Amino acid sequence: MTRELRIPATGLVVLVGVSGSGKSHFARRHFLPSQVISSDYCRAVVSDDENDQSATGDAFALLHHIVGIRLRRGLLTVVDATNVQPRSRESLLHVAKEHDVLSAAIVLDVPPEVAAERNRTRPDRDFGDHVVPRQHRELRRGMRSLHREFKRVHVLAGDDIDTAVLVRERPWNDRRDLTGPFDVIGDVHGCRAELEDLLGDLGYEIEHDAEGRAAGAHHPGGRTAVFVGDLVDRGPDTPGVLRLAMGMVAAGDALCVSGNHEAKLLKALAGRKVRVAHGLAESLEQLAAEDAAFRDAARAFMDGLISHYVLDGGRLVVAHAGLKESYHGRTSGRVRSFALYGDTTGETDEYGLPVRYPWAREYRGAAMVVYGHTPVPDTEWINNTLCLDTGVVFGGKLSALRYPEREIVAVPARRQWYEPTRPLAAAPDARDIDDLKIDDVLDAGGVETALLGRVTVREENALAALEVMSRFAIDPRWLAYLPPTMAPAATSKEEGYLEHPAEALAAYRDAGVRRVICEEKHMGSRAITVVCRDAATAESAFGVRDGSTGALYTRTGRAFFRDPARTAAVLDRVRDAVGAAGLWDELDTGWLVLDGELLPWSVKAMDLIRGQYAATGAAARAALPAASEALARAAARGVDVGGLGERTERRAANAGLFRDAYARYCWDVDGLDGIALAPFQVLAGNGHAWATERDHVWHMEVAERLAAADASGLIRPTAWRTADLDSPDSEKAVTEWWEKCTAEGGEGMVVKPLGPLPDDRRVQPGLKCRGREYLRIIYGPDYTEPAHLDRLRARSLGRKRSLATREHALGVEALHRLVGGEPLWRRHQAVFAVLALESEPVDPRL
């Protein structure tokens, strides 16, 4: 008859047996080679000889190290060693305990004479005849203690060794296979009526028993309720809450984890000595009025509750008092203690209650952790964790989280049922909790993005960005996104041009793109606008409580204007335009993030213009005419000046063109008079990353609607055209449009792909094609001279294109993390990385 051996799927399995008992053969039959850590192998690694007994100490140090790493990573780990001595098993069990995993022992009980005979046939087992008998005696002495050491012990002898079948069991808390949707319900504390109210609002249909009592609830949409524990104590109807929850769990309509109040009530019902306080007396009195059968069922139900659940592929963790990442899916006394009571400091507050360590502040896990235990007035996300205990029994409300929607549903308490020991404390300001830590982006693994996989951030670049972020950036809660750089089109072959539309259009056509959009490129300063409908939206969406309703910042995360009143005035006009255009209701959002340009260039870059461009232009316009006159006088005297005079006159003309080029983008402003904002992309709103959900035509149409709806004249439209890359006439039309715009002083255009992108090729998110005269600002007054143009045509674009692609991926990632409700530090990972990449050595003129 085949024996089934049940072992933990992610724990420690220790093989026990004398040398020659067949442990290695057994391990090869039942486990992957990577799962088996052999003492012989470790001895060979540290000494080149697996029989070198002098290396045993180092070998087992290595073995324990490898076992520890595997258990930390949640991998099944099998130790192949004799393990016949209790002290050798003790060291392994210590490693398992450190990593909060279950352990099992499999003993191969082989007669010593059989083992000795096997050893004699192996040349690598040249040790004395006394070894196996001694090991066998040690095994026999230790058999009595094995069941105290391990959760499961399997002893195999004879044919069982060859016929045994191993069954891998997941921990009870591992329900990654359940994907929801879920409704996670906070601490009920005996408030049966409020629980029924909440279930009704969540769409559950209450089921009643023969006596009319609520005995279950089913959601017609197939949703599953998950109770965070503390169903009992303090409230008016602990039996009613238990009856309803027990019925839902039994029918598969709900899951439930244990709370500390269930644990204490269970002890009291078992007759153990407990302190009757914090509502326990009320529960015992209410249960005493129920029949014995119900009390027995309630006791069995509470006794079967586990510490926590890991759900939806590991994306959701539910535990009564929360759970730090290293404990997710683990099984041990300290894991259960943390899940029931939290991480206490050992101190008590002025109310005599334990002071709990704020684990959520340090949480950096990918899984969402939903919990209760410590009542708060309102739910608030902290580092992807959420407390749902909103004090219903104290007169607050009963709250639930719809998952994966991240929607909070709550019902008010019908009255205050119990006087709280201490007032409900609000959660700390999120800005004090989940700001970015440098270690979050200095991880050698980089920042994971959906578009490009991992994007690495070099330490030296991160350190340069750190000073900018820490000293100059705006309130980090508003810092939702930083725009990426953009690569220019390939160098033009057209005579007299460095950049021309032909190369940009050809690049996309060659990449398999069929349509593009060409957008006017404004010569201003990049400006990200975050605007909320009102202060309440700013608080709920961004956690900002100072009354501000948005932000206007540069591409390096600095406030665009030093004067907050000026920023507020811009936001007021943008807000009014969004409302007048009907976008709040149409997009079903109370906030928007817009990408655009703020004009004129001189508003933000006046110091640069005065110190670099104007100074150069003034010097050239003063010196070159004087040089031309001097050369003319010399020529009149018969001095042979060659072509120097002609070259100087050309340089003087170029200097005038250079001055005209930057002057076009400078004009006087007074307050907001003269300032223009040209949005060209709606990046995000509530629940939607519009940057990736709509094509660029939609974005330009929305920008036009905003400009048309803006009564103040602040918002400027952006001209645009589309081009069919299969049509020479279409390409000719946009080229002529570009030539006309740049001839009239425009900077140029940005070309972006439209329609589905080829699956097998990466394409640039956009290519800029700047005008001939505008490029004088970038490359200098004389760049159009043939010798200079020939030199500039050798410019390398590879690094710039790589940078643009990586920063674009990070920007999109930041937006998706924002609309996905991820914690601030996760959003800042991507935002910070964009700023860090800007420190890479790339020609700034590109």
Side-chain angles (χ1 to χ4, degrees):
M1 181 177 178
T2 301
R3 280 191 59 183
E4 284 191 351
L5 310 185
R6 298 190 175 275
I7 62 170
T10 56
L12 174 68
V13 175
V14 177
L15 301 182
V16 182
V18 302
S19 178
S21 59
K23 297 183 300 300
S24 298
H25 178 71
F26 184 89
R28 284 193 294 272
R29 284 180 52 225
H30 294 284
F31 303 102
L32 298 174
S34 58
Q35 295 172 331
V36 181
I37 313 301
S38 162
S39 59
D40 288 343
Y41 168 77
C42 291
R43 195 177 286 110
V45 168
V46 300
S47 70
D48 289 334
D49 182 359
E50 66 179 37
N51 292 312
D52 183 356
Q53 297 303 308
S54 67
T56 296
D58 288 336
F60 275 91
L62 174 61
L63 183 145
H64 291 148
H65 179 67
I66 297 173
V67 169
I69 291 176
R70 288 185 58 84
L71 294 182
R72 175 175 58 80
R73 295 178 61 84
L75 300 173
L76 174 64
T77 304
V78 182
V79 175
D80 176 12
T82 57
N83 295 313
V84 294
Q85 296 176 330
R87 66 175 179 272
S88 61
R89 299 192 296 267
E90 181 182 358
S91 59
L92 291 171
L93 289 168
H94 178 72
V95 177
K97 184 177 180 181
E98 280 185 334
H99 295 90
D100 305 287
V101 298
L102 297 176
S103 57
I106 300 177
V107 181
L108 303 189
D109 191 5
V110 174
E113 58 273 15
V114 173
E117 181 59 31
R118 290 174 179 170
N119 290 329
R120 278 192 287 271
T121 64
R122 293 177 57 182
D124 60 342
R125 285 293 185 267
D126 184 18
F127 44 67
D129 293 339
H130 66 286
V131 172
V132 171
R134 176 177 53 78
Q135 292 176 346
H136 191 262
R137 289 193 300 273
E138 291 174 334
L139 173 61
R140 283 285 168 229
R141 282 196 299 269
M143 290 284 276
R144 291 189 296 272
S145 64
L146 276 170
H147 289 278
R148 295 193 299 271
E149 298 170 16
F150 293 89
K151 295 292 183 183
R152 285 205 173 123
V153 177
H154 304 287
V155 180
L156 300 178
D159 293 339
D160 285 349
I161 295 176
D162 295 323
T163 61
V165 174
L166 271 58
V167 178
R168 291 160 172 80
E169 291 185 328
R170 295 181 305 179
W172 290 346
N173 54 43
D174 182 359
R175 295 311 309 269
R176 289 174 171 84
D177 56 305
L178 299 180
T179 57
F182 300 108
D183 297 306
V184 189
I185 298 174
D187 302 41
V188 182
H189 279 301
C191 298
R192 190 261 314 152
E194 287 87 344
L195 176 57
E196 291 189 37
D197 292 342
L198 180 62
L199 288 171
D201 285 358
L202 291 169
Y204 288 78
E205 297 172 352
I206 307 293
E207 300 164 355
H208 299 85
D209 62 14
E211 298 181 36
R213 300 172 299 191
H218 175 76
H219 196 288
R223 300 181 71 90
T224 301
V226 186
F227 295 99
V228 303
D230 277 6
L231 300 172
V232 304
D233 291 352
R234 294 182 174 141
D237 193 0
T238 282
V241 172
L242 285 172
R243 184 176 290 108
L244 179 50
M246 288 161 57
M248 293 178 69
V249 171
D253 293 314
L255 299 170
C256 184
V257 299
S258 179
N260 61 299
H261 281 264
E262 280 83 31
K264 189 174 182 181
L265 176 57
L266 189 62
K267 292 178 182 178
L269 291 174
R272 296 171 61 183
K273 185 177 180 179
V274 295
R275 183 173 172 233
V276 181
H278 304 299
L280 178 58
E282 287 81 356
S283 290
L284 291 173
E285 182 180 351
Q286 293 163 16
L287 286 169
E290 299 290 329
D291 58 42
F294 179 80
R295 289 196 299 272
D296 290 343
R299 187 185 300 115
F301 171 74
M302 289 185 286
D303 192 35
L305 297 178
I306 63 175
S307 65
H308 70 284
Y309 277 112
V310 180
L311 304 166
D312 191 22
R315 286 178 282 272
L316 174 64
V317 173
V318 179
H320 176 62
L323 205 64
K324 60 184 182 180
E325 186 180 22
S326 61
Y327 287 173
H328 295 180
R330 302 301 170 119
T331 305
S332 71
R334 68 174 176 177
V335 170
R336 184 173 179 83
S337 177
F338 194 111
L340 290 181
Y341 306 103
D343 193 2
T344 59
T345 65
E347 302 172 306
T348 56
D349 61 17
E350 64 270 29
Y351 302 100
L353 298 175
V355 176
R356 295 182 175 88
Y357 183 79
W359 64 273
R361 297 188 184 195
E362 305 298 326
Y363 182 72
R364 289 294 187 266
M368 180 190 302
V369 181
V370 185
Y371 61 103
H373 190 52
T374 304
V376 293
D378 292 291
T379 59
E380 182 172 2
W381 290 100
I382 298 173
N383 285 333
N384 211 21
T385 75
L386 184 71
C387 178
L388 283 175
D389 183 359
T390 46
V392 62
V393 76
F394 302 128
K397 53 194 173 185
L398 182 60
S399 299
L401 168 72
R402 291 184 187 268
Y403 175 92
E405 299 89 343
R406 296 176 71 99
E407 176 188 351
I408 302 296
V409 179
V411 297
R414 297 198 177 188
R415 52 163 285 192
Q416 185 184 71
W417 300 103
Y418 199 88
E419 185 70 28
T421 303
R422 65 181 171 198
L424 270 63
D429 190 326
R431 183 171 182 180
D432 298 330
I433 291 170
D434 55 3
D435 287 352
L436 182 69
K437 293 180 174 59
I438 190 63
D439 290 342
D440 294 328
V441 289
L442 281 183
D443 188 332
V447 179
E448 187 68 33
T449 67
L451 289 182
L452 208 59
R454 285 198 175 273
V455 175
T456 302
V457 177
R458 295 176 182 172
E459 183 173 1
E460 58 268 28
N461 294 346
L463 292 175
L466 178 62
E467 182 172 3
V468 175
M469 288 282 278
S470 61
R471 294 183 59 191
F472 305 113
I474 60 169
D475 182 334
R477 291 171 293 189
W478 290 122
L479 199 57
Y481 171 85
L482 285 181
T485 189
M486 184 174 294
T491 304
S492 176
K493 299 180 177 63
E494 297 284 332
E495 184 176 354
Y497 287 92
L498 191 60
E499 295 178 11
H500 191 272
E503 281 70 29
L505 300 175
Y508 283 118
R509 184 172 56 250
D510 294 345
V513 177
R514 304 269 60 87
R515 292 179 68 234
V516 296
I517 187 170
C518 303
E519 303 174 5
E520 173 189 5
K521 194 172 190 308
H522 298 281
M523 182 51 183
S525 300
R526 195 73 169 265
I528 303 300
T529 307
V530 184
V531 60
C532 295
R533 198 167 191 170
D534 48 42
T537 302
E539 180 176 347
S540 62
F542 294 92
V544 177
R545 300 186 179 91
D546 61 4
S548 60
T549 56
L552 183 70
Y553 58 90
T554 69
R555 68 186 315 270
T556 59
R558 307 174 192 227
F560 207 98
F561 300 120
R562 294 181 180 178
D563 182 7
R566 201 177 187 189
T567 298
V570 172
L571 294 176
D572 286 343
R573 295 186 180 187
V574 173
R575 182 182 301 106
D576 291 344
V578 173
L583 293 176
W584 296 128
D585 295 332
E586 181 180 322
L587 300 181
D588 189 23
T589 186
W591 58 273
L592 288 173
V593 183
L594 306 174
D595 195 357
E597 291 274 336
L598 197 143
L599 295 82
W601 182 38
S602 52
V603 169
K604 199 64 186 171
M606 184 55 76
D607 290 342
L608 176 68
I609 293 168
R610 286 173 176 164
Q612 181 170 323
Y613 299 106
T616 300
R621 285 184 293 115
L624 291 173
S628 292
E629 291 178 9
L631 288 169
R633 289 195 299 271
R637 295 197 306 270
V639 177
D640 183 9
V641 295
L644 187 58
E646 182 181 345
R647 289 198 303 275
T648 303
E649 288 181 1
R650 286 203 311 273
R651 291 189 65 197
N654 289 341
L657 293 173
F658 175 77
R659 189 265 177 196
D660 293 343
Y662 70 76
R664 292 189 185 99
Y665 312 118
C666 306
W667 58 82
D668 293 332
V669 299
D670 182 13
L672 293 188
D673 293 340
I675 289 179
L677 178 66
F680 52 78
Q681 195 167 26
V682 183
L683 295 170
N686 185 38
H688 293 278
W690 298 112
T692 57
E693 294 181 28
R694 293 288 191 273
D695 67 16
H696 293 290
V697 170
W698 179 85
H699 289 281
M700 299 313 299
E701 290 173 345
V702 170
E704 289 176 342
R705 289 171 57 187
L706 284 172
D710 175 32
S712 71
L714 171 76
I715 299 179
R716 174 182 292 190
T718 297
W720 58 281
R721 301 285 190 279
T722 61
D724 181 352
L725 298 185
D726 292 326
S727 168
D729 290 341
S730 181
E731 291 194 25
K732 180 181 178 183
V734 296
T735 300
E736 291 175 348
W737 175 67
W738 175 84
E739 290 171 343
K740 180 175 182 295
C741 290
T742 55
E744 294 174 352
E747 178 185 343
M749 71 181 182
V750 175
V751 185
K752 300 175 182 178
L754 279 176
L757 300 180
D759 293 332
D760 59 339
R761 289 180 242 184
R762 288 181 184 165
V763 299
Q764 286 290 311
L767 291 172
K768 57 187 177 184
C769 183
R770 296 165 289 184
R772 186 172 187 269
E773 290 308 313
Y774 168 78
L775 286 174
R776 287 190 194 278
I777 304 174
I778 306 301
Y779 288 103
D782 299 322
Y783 95 99
T784 51
E785 293 297 305
H788 293 312
L789 264 181
D790 289 343
R791 174 178 53 81
L792 291 173
R793 290 185 198 281
R795 62 183 185 168
S796 174
L797 299 177
R799 281 193 173 187
K800 183 71 169 182
R801 289 174 176 171
S802 171
L803 190 62
T805 302
R806 286 178 285 152
E807 290 186 4
H808 173 69
L810 288 164
V812 169
E813 186 66 25
L815 293 174
H816 280 279
R817 293 182 181 188
L818 170 69
V819 302
E822 296 200 32
L824 186 63
W825 71 270
R826 285 270 298 164
R827 285 138 51 189
H828 276 187
Q829 270 193 338
V831 172
F832 183 91
V834 172
L835 188 59
L837 290 182
E838 283 295 296
S839 300
E840 289 202 357
V842 175
D843 185 348
R845 298 174 300 177
L846 298 177

